[in-house]
Amino acid sequence: GVARIDERGQVLALTTREHGIVAPGFEQLVRAPDGRIWLADGQGLRVFDHDCACFRPVTGITQRVDSVVFTAPDRLHAYSAGALWSLRLDGPTTVVRESSIGPEAGLPATTASSLCQVAGGRLWMSSARGLFAIDLRQGRAWPLGSHLGAALQFGLRPSAVFQ
């Protein structure tokens, strides 16, 4: 489940299966620019609805989502096993796929643990195959490695990237 905890460490609310978390586990929680909490899981995306204190399924994507990042108030990118989808919000619980890139663009055919927006229209993605840069404008990806130093040498995998 997901616990909402105050600054003193007291649990204010616990969200579990009966509150819309249906997959055995979830992959990522992210706060959207409008403040809403989004959840990526084995069945797609969900967004927290304060009226029912539950996660509602997001229409328009029903495949597993490993990681998600918002790049604008109405734009997000979701990654799943080798594919990065560019999505546009079309209402509070609906997304529309606008484009996608996959292994042909240099993405690894594996899961991702996190996505992070960096400067110049790029994302960084951590995965089981290492750290990747994704150029959204050119629709291509490449591994980041030895030029970043010993921390990313073969055998060491970043578990997350954040800004």
Side-chain angles (χ1 to χ4, degrees), residues 20 22 43-47 54-62 92-94:
V22 297
Q43 297 179 356
L45 293 171
R46 300 179 185 286
V47 62
C54 67
F55 281 93
R56 299 248 186 235
V58 173
T59 305
I61 188 165
T62 56
T93 60
T94 302

Side-chain angles (χ1 to χ4, degrees), residues 33-51:
D34 66 5
R36 295 185 305 153
I37 303 297
W38 288 61
L39 179 145
D41 70 15
Q43 297 179 356
L45 293 171
R46 300 179 185 286
V47 62
F48 192 75
D49 181 341
H50 286 282
D51 292 337

Side-chain angles (χ1 to χ4, degrees), residues 51-133:
D51 292 337
C52 67
C54 67
F55 281 93
R56 299 248 186 235
V58 173
T59 305
I61 188 165
T62 56
Q63 295 91 348
R64 171 188 179 82
V65 174
D66 297 323
S67 191
V68 62
V69 65
F70 278 83
T71 54
D74 66 340
R75 303 276 174 194
L76 60 154
H77 297 342
Y79 187 85
S80 178
L84 179 73
W85 304 310
S86 295
L87 307 169
R88 176 181 46 83
L89 287 179
D90 189 30
T93 60
T94 302
V95 295
V96 175
R97 277 191 216 187
E98 295 192 326
S99 63
S100 66
I101 61 171
E104 74 286 348
L107 288 172
T110 187
T111 59
S113 55
S114 64
L115 288 166
C116 175
Q117 182 179 16
V118 295
R122 292 185 177 165
L123 302 178
W124 278 13
M125 180 188 79
S126 61
S127 76
R129 299 260 171 94
L131 184 62
F132 284 77

Side-chain angles (χ1 to χ4, degrees), residues 5-19:
I5 301 172
D6 70 13
E7 63 276 354
R8 297 167 300 164
Q10 300 294 314
V11 175
L12 301 174
L14 182 62
T15 304
T16 58
R17 179 179 278 289
E18 61 268 17
H19 302 105

